[in-house]
C-alpha cells in the first residue's frame, strides 16, 4: 500500500546522511581538500562565513565550508550552531580602527589626503577576463608585489579630519552601557543603533547588498559618498573587571566603511554631513559598504526623515536580514505539512459543495 | 550520550533563562514572552523553539515522545527524538500514554492527555495577528489593549464571502478570556482539545524568539460568533486501517486514477486500536 512509502524515517535518514558523506568527499581518486588550502586560497569565502556565522575563527570557518560542500550560508549556519554553545565572558573594548595595520585604504571624497590612497590587494581595476593560466595548479608562483610600508600613524580617518571643522557629525560621547546583544535578548523596537549594527554585521551579504542598492535607486535615498574604506588588522582588547586594565587578546582582520551622507541643518543648527557605518569581519568591501548604506537609511526616523522605503524600516530589515533564520524558514516548507493541507482540502471541498448547492438552487428557481 | 555537551545540549544558564520565560508564560496564559532563543544545531523552521523548551524542562527520569503530523516515524520527528536520545540520554516512547513530555508539530494526540504530562508545541509564527498587521510592534500594542477587532472583522468577512470561516488550521483562540493566541498550525479539529486540558501546554517559537503557555484547566475558546459557532472538521470517512470515525485523517493517494484511502494521522492511536482489534 502507498501509505507504507512514508514510513521508515529512521532508515531513510541514515541512508541520506551516508549518501551525503560520499557526495561531499567526491571522487576518491582526487586528494581531499585541506583546511589550510581553504583558509589560504578561498579566503574571501572564509571571511564571509566568519562574518555571517558571527565567529572569528578562520580554521573553523574553513572546516564549515568543507563540511557544507562550499554552501556558504550552510557553512555560516554550522558556525553559528557552534558559536551558540560557547560561553560569553565579556564585551571587548571598542576596536580602535584608527590604529589599524592598514593593507588598503581608499577615499572617494578627497583626491589625496594624509597617508595617501592605498589600493592594496583589490580586484577593483582588474579586467574580468578568465585567467586560463590559473587553471594549471602547477602555474608559477606570482611575483612578489613591491613592498608597501604604510604608516598607520599617518593615516587619520577621513571623518576625523572632516570632523575637525564640524562639517560632519561626531561619534557622540560613549554611553558606557554594555552593548546590545541580540543573541541574548531578542530584538525589540525601537531598536538602538548598536543593536541594528550588530544585526547588520551578522546579516546576509546579498540581502544587505539589495537593500543598500535600493536606497541608491530612490527607495530611501541617503546621498552617499564613500568617505573612507579601510582594510587591515586591528587589536582586540578586553578589560576584565578583576584586572582593572585592558589586555590585548589578539588581532582580527576587518573591513570598515564610513559613508558621508546627506547633510542636515537649519537656520539655528549649522549644516553637517551625516554618517552611515559598516564594519565586517575579514575582507569584504561589498558588505561593509552595503551595511553603511543601510545603517544610514535606518537612521531616517532619528534624523527626522520620512520613513517610506523598506531599507528605512528597522522591523523589515532586522527581521529579514539574518540568512540562518531566513533559510531555515523558507526551507522548512519541504517538511511535511499534510495535516494542515488535509484541513485545507476539507475546507475547499466544503466551500465548493456550498457554492454548487447554491447555484443548483438558482437553476431550480 | 554525546561527549562535550551539557545534558540536553543547552548550557544550564540558558535553560534557566528559558525556564524564567516559561514561568512568566504560565503566569499570563496565552501572552507571548520574548526570550533569548539560541541558535540550535537544527535549522529554524524545524522546531528550534520546541526543542529549546523541551531541553529546558527535560529531566533524567522523563520519557519523551516526539510527533510530526501526528506520527512518530516522520523524518523530522525521528531526527528530534534522536537528538534528545543522544544529548540527554532520556527514555523515548511512541506511546502517548507512557510519555511524560510530548513534543509536537501540527497535531495534538487523539488520546486525552493527563495532568502529569506536558505537551510542547513547535510554533512557526507565534503572532496570531501577523496576516492582518505585519508589524510585531503594532501587534504587541493590540495585545496590550486586548484590541482584537481586526480578527473579528477577518472572520466576519470570511462569513460574508464564503458563508463560513475559511481558516482551517492555526485557527485563532482566546485564552483565559484575555489573550488572542496562535495555537500553532494544528488543524482546527484539534482546537477543542486545548480547552481545559489537564496537561500543561507550552509553546516555543525559536526564530521569532517567543514562548507562551496554557496552564492546566485553562479556558481556550476558538474565536467565533453566536450565530456562526466554531465547528471542527475532519474528512468524513473511517480510517482504512483501524476504522476510527472520530480521529483526524490523512488522505493518501493510492494510484493516479483518483484512488485514495483515509488513515489516522495519529499513528500511536491507530496502532493501539489495530492491536485491540487483533486481540
Amino acid at each position: 500500500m502507498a501509505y507504507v512509502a512514508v514510513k521508515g524515517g529512521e532508515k531513510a535518514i541514515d541512508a541520506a546522511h551516508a549518501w551525503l558523506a560520499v557526495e561531499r568527499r567526491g571522487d576518491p581518486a582526487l586528494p581531499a581538500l585541506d583546511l589550510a588550502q581553504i583558509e589560504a586560497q578561498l579566503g574571501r569565502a572564509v571571511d564571509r562565513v566568519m562574518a555571517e556565522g558571527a565567529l572569528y575563527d578562520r580554521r573553523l570557518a574553513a572546516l564549515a565550508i568543507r563540511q557544507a560542500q562550499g554552501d556558504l550560508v550552510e557553512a555560516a549556519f554550522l558556525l553559528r550552531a557552534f558559536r551558540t554553545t560557547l560561553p560569553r565572558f565579556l564585551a571587548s573594548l571598542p576596536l580602535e580602527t584608527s590604529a589599524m595595520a592598514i593593507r588598503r585604504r581608499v577615499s572617494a571624497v578627497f583626491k589625496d589626503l594624509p597617508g595617501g590612497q592605498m589600493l592594496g590587494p583589490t580586484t577593483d581595476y582588474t579586467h574580468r577576463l578568465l585567467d586560463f593560466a590559473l587553471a594549471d595548479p602547477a602555474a608559477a608562483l606570482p611575483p612578489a608585489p613591491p613592498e608597501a610600508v604604510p604608516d598607520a600613524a599617518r593615516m587619520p580617518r577621513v571623518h576625523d579630519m572632516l570632523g575637525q571643522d564640524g562639517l560632519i557629525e561626531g561619534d557622540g560621547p560613549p554611553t558606557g552601557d554594555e552593548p546590545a546583544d541580540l543573541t541574548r535578548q531578542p530584538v525589540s523596537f525601537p531598536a538602538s543603533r548598536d543593536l541594528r549594527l550588530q544585526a547588520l554585521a551578522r546579516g546576509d551579504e546579498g540581502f544587505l547588498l539589495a537593500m543598500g542598492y535600493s536606497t541608491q535607486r530612490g527607495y530611501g535615498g541617503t546621498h552617499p559618498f564613500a568617505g573612507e574604506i579601510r582594510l587591515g588588522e586591528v587589536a582586540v582588547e578586553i578589560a576584565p573587571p578583576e584586572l582593572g586594565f585592558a589586555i590585548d587578546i589578539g588581532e582580527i582582520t576587518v573591513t570598515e566603511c564610513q559613508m558621508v551622507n546627506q547633510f542636515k541643518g537649519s537656520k539655528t543648527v549649522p549644516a553637517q554631513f551625516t554618517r552611515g557605518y559598516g564594519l565586517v569581519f575579514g575582507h569584504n568591501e561589498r558588505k561593509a559598504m552595503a551595511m553603511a548604506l543601510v545603517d544610514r537609511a535606518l537612521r531616517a526616523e532619528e534624523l527626522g526623515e520620512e520613513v517610506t522605503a523598506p531599507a528605512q524600516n528597522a522591523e523589515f530589515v532586522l527581521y529579514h536580514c539574518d540568512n540562518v533564520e531566513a533559510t531555515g524558514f523558507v526551507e522548512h516548507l519541504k517538511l511535511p505539512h499534510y495535516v494542515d493541507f488535509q484541513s485545507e482540502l476539507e475546507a475547499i471541498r466544503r466551500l465548493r459543495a456550498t457554492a454548487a448547492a447554491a447555484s443548483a438552487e438558482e437553476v431550480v428557481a | 550520550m554525546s561527549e562535550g555537551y551539557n545534558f540536553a545540549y543547552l548550557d544550564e544558564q540558558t535553560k534557566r533563562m528559558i525556564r524564567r520565560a516559561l514561568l512568566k508564560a504560565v503566569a499570563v496564559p496565552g501572552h507571548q514572552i520574548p526570550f533569548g532563543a539560541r541558535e540550535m544545531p537544527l535549522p529554524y523552521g524545524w522546531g528550534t523553539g520546541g526543542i529549546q523548551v523541551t531541553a529546558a524542562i527535560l529531566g533524567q527520569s522523563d520519557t519523551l515522545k516526539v510527533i510530526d503530523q501526528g506520527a512518530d516515524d516522520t523524518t523530522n520527528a525521528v531526527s528530534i527524538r534522536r537528538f534528545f536520545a543522544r544529548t540527554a540520554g532520556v527514555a523515548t516512547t511512541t506511546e502517548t500514554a507512557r510519555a511524560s513530555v510530548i513534543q509536537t508539530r501540527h497535531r495534538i494526540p487523539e488520546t486525552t492527555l493527563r495532568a502529569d504530562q506536558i505537551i510542547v508545541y513547535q510554533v512557526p509564527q507565534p503572532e496570531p495577528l501577523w496576516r492582518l498587521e505585519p508589524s510585531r510592534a503594532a501587534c504587541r500594542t493590540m495585545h496590550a489593549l486586548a484590541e482584537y477587532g481586526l480578527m473579528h472583522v477577518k472572520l466576519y468577512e470570511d462569513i460574508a464571502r464564503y458563508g463560513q470561516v475559511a481558516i482551517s488550521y492555526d485557527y485563532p483562540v482566546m485564552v483565559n478570556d484575555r489573550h488572542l493566541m496562535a495555537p500553532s498550525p494544528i488543524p482546527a479539529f484539534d482546537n477543542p482539545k486545548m480547552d481545559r486540558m489537564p496537561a500543561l501546554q507550552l509553546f516555543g517559537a525559536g526564530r521569532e524568539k517567543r514562548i507562551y503557555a496554557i496552564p492546566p484547566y485553562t479556558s481556550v475558546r476558538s474565536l467565533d460568533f453566536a450565530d456562526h459557532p466554531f465547528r471542527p472538521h475532519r474528512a468524513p470517512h473511517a480510517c482504512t486501517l483501524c476504522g476510527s470515525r472520530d480521529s483526524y485523517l490523512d488522505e493518501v493517494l493510492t494510484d493516479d486514477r483518483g484512488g485514495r484511502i483515509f488513515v489516522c494521522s495519529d499513528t500511536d492511536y491507530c496502532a493501539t486500536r489495530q492491536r485491540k482489534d487483533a486481540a
Side-chain angles (χ1 to χ4, degrees):
Chain A
M1 191 173 355
Y3 186 56
V4 175
V6 298
K7 302 276 182 179
E10 303 246 3
K11 276 188 192 158
I13 290 182
D14 289 338
H17 291 177
W19 194 348
L20 176 69
V22 168
E23 204 184 84
R24 174 189 297 127
R25 178 58 182 83
D27 183 351
L30 296 172
L33 263 179
D34 186 323
L35 294 192
Q37 288 177 320
I38 296 174
E39 262 188 82
Q41 295 174 41
L42 296 177
R44 304 288 278 268
V46 169
D47 288 343
R48 180 171 179 190
V49 169
M50 292 195 303
E52 290 167 18
L55 180 67
Y56 197 96
D57 189 316
R58 305 196 73 82
R59 179 48 63 107
L60 288 181
L63 173 61
I65 290 168
R66 183 161 113 178
Q67 186 176 335
Q69 299 173 269
D71 177 342
L72 301 188
V73 175
E74 173 72 13
F77 175 26
L78 288 168
L79 215 52
R80 288 265 192 100
F82 177 75
R83 176 197 196 273
T84 189
T85 65
L86 301 176
R88 188 177 178 285
F89 299 117
L90 286 168
S92 76
L93 298 180
L95 295 183
E96 198 46 82
T97 53
S98 59
M100 179 186 279
I102 287 180
R103 281 193 277 145
R104 170 167 163 80
R105 185 265 201 134
V106 291
S107 170
V109 296
F110 293 111
K111 182 174 183 184
D112 199 6
L113 64 167
Q117 309 265 12
M118 182 173 171
L119 287 184
T122 181
T123 56
D124 282 355
Y125 303 101
T126 58
H127 297 152
R128 267 51 168 214
L129 303 174
L130 282 173
D131 183 353
F132 296 108
L134 284 177
D136 179 7
L141 284 177
E147 190 78 10
V149 194
D151 180 356
R154 293 192 309 109
M155 284 201 187
R157 297 191 299 181
V158 168
H159 86 269
D160 288 338
M161 292 184 276
L162 279 170
Q164 284 164 9
D165 300 328
L167 294 176
I168 194 163
E169 57 177 339
D171 286 331
T175 60
D177 296 342
E178 178 90 351
D181 183 354
L182 57 80
T183 68
R184 304 286 133 163
Q185 284 292 324
V187 171
S188 63
F189 294 91
S192 57
R193 191 167 177 213
D194 51 347
L195 182 73
R196 299 196 309 249
L197 287 169
Q198 183 195 18
L200 298 180
R202 296 156 53 96
D204 181 72
E205 179 179 322
F207 178 86
L208 292 187
L209 180 65
M211 280 290 130
Y213 175 49
S214 71
T215 68
Q216 292 180 280
R217 294 192 62 262
Y219 294 87
T222 62
H223 204 70
F225 294 96
E228 181 175 331
I229 294 157
R230 51 173 64 198
L231 158 74
E233 283 64 48
V234 289
V236 179
E237 292 186 322
I238 57 168
E242 63 271 31
L243 278 186
F245 53 86
I247 51 171
D248 187 330
I249 56 165
E251 197 177 72
I252 62 173
T253 302
V254 293
T255 308
E256 183 185 49
C257 173
Q258 292 269 6
M259 287 286 177
V260 177
N261 297 83
Q262 190 150 356
F263 53 83
K264 294 282 309 170
S266 65
K267 270 185 190 158
T268 48
V269 182
Q272 269 192 329
F273 287 114
T274 57
R275 289 160 58 187
Y277 186 71
L279 183 78
V280 184
F281 280 162
H283 184 182
N284 193 339
E285 284 164 45
R286 183 184 304 124
K287 179 164 175 186
M289 294 177 76
M291 175 175 169
L293 289 175
V294 176
D295 169 49
R296 175 60 183 78
L298 288 175
R299 296 181 60 207
E301 203 172 338
E302 169 204 340
L303 295 169
E305 298 162 356
E306 204 188 343
V307 175
T308 55
Q312 297 169 317
N313 182 328
E315 260 199 82
F316 184 85
V317 173
L318 265 55
Y319 275 147
H320 302 116
C321 67
D322 190 291
N323 59 21
V324 177
E325 289 175 5
T327 198
F329 201 49
V330 166
E331 294 197 47
H332 106 285
L333 291 174
K334 64 195 167 190
L335 293 181
H337 283 80
Y338 39 78
V339 162
D340 292 346
F341 188 69
Q342 189 65 42
S343 66
E344 292 276 76
L345 270 179
E346 293 308 322
I348 202 166
R349 281 174 180 147
R350 272 196 317 280
L351 293 175
R352 288 173 61 85
T354 313
S359 63
E361 267 171 39
E362 271 172 32
V363 171
V364 172
Chain B
M1 251 168 70
S2 261
E3 291 292 314
Y5 286 101
N6 192 33
F7 175 79
Y9 181 76
L10 292 173
D11 60 280
E12 293 303 314
Q13 283 82 358
T14 298
K15 288 187 195 170
R16 226 171 283 150
M17 175 274 293
I18 294 172
R19 287 180 202 136
R20 279 196 293 267
L22 286 170
L23 288 174
K24 279 191 205 168
V26 169
V28 192
H31 174 55
Q32 300 167 51
I33 312 294
F35 81 113
R38 301 294 193 251
E39 267 126 352
M40 299 299 285
L42 276 75
Y44 287 116
W46 264 243
T48 52
I51 295 171
Q52 289 180 73
V53 169
T54 299
I57 62 170
L58 218 50
Q60 274 153 352
S61 59
D62 271 310
T63 303
L64 178 69
K65 171 181 166 83
V66 184
I67 51 173
D68 185 347
Q69 314 295 302
D72 299 273
D73 58 358
T74 37
T75 43
N76 196 41
V78 170
S79 162
I80 294 172
R81 189 167 53 243
R82 276 190 184 179
F83 176 76
F84 282 114
R86 188 167 147 193
T87 58
V90 292
T92 60
T93 183
T94 59
E95 285 174 52
T96 303
R98 283 194 50 222
S100 57
V101 176
I102 300 169
Q103 180 170 327
T104 180
R105 174 169 177 266
H106 295 195
R107 273 313 308 276
I108 299 175
E110 306 290 358
T111 311
T112 308
L113 300 183
R114 302 181 310 262
D116 61 344
Q117 294 178 305
I118 299 176
I119 180 165
V120 178
Y121 298 78
Q122 301 174 198
V123 180
Q125 193 41 263
E127 179 49 67
L129 296 165
W130 73 278
R131 288 176 202 272
L132 309 170
E133 169 52 67
S135 165
R136 302 310 193 269
C139 290
R140 212 172 146 76
T141 308
M142 289 157 80
H143 284 294
L145 301 172
E147 176 53 70
Y148 298 131
L150 214 53
M151 186 57 88
H152 282 108
V153 170
K154 145 81 183 151
L155 297 192
Y156 170 78
E157 284 179 345
D158 272 6
I159 291 167
R161 189 170 303 149
Y162 303 112
Q164 54 192 280
V165 174
I167 306 173
S168 61
Y169 62 90
D170 210 351
Y171 189 107
V173 292
M174 189 61 86
V175 176
N176 200 27
D177 296 320
R178 172 59 182 82
H179 282 96
L180 190 70
M181 190 195 89
S184 88
I186 56 172
F189 173 85
D190 281 340
N191 276 17
K193 295 177 188 160
M194 302 181 110
D195 185 35
R196 297 176 202 284
M197 184 191 279
L200 171 62
Q201 304 177 69
L202 303 176
F203 299 78
R207 184 179 42 79
E208 298 281 341
K209 301 172 180 60
R210 296 290 185 274
I211 278 174
Y212 51 102
I214 305 175
Y217 305 106
T218 303
S219 148
V220 178
R221 201 165 44 75
S222 300
L223 228 53
D224 63 358
F225 296 108
D227 54 344
H228 280 273
F230 170 82
R231 271 198 216 97
H233 290 282
R234 63 187 283 280
H237 301 278
C239 171
T240 305
L241 301 176
C242 77
S244 171
R245 293 188 169 276
D246 307 313
S247 71
Y248 191 80
L249 301 176
D250 287 337
E251 182 167 339
V252 181
L253 305 184
T254 50
D255 56 43
D256 57 1
R257 298 178 308 277
R260 66 197 64 205
I261 58 167
F262 290 84
V263 294
C264 290
S265 135
D266 184 335
T267 47
D268 171 58
Y269 173 82
C270 192
T272 308
R273 283 175 54 89
Q274 290 178 62
R275 273 198 302 276
K276 270 189 196 145
D277 280 355

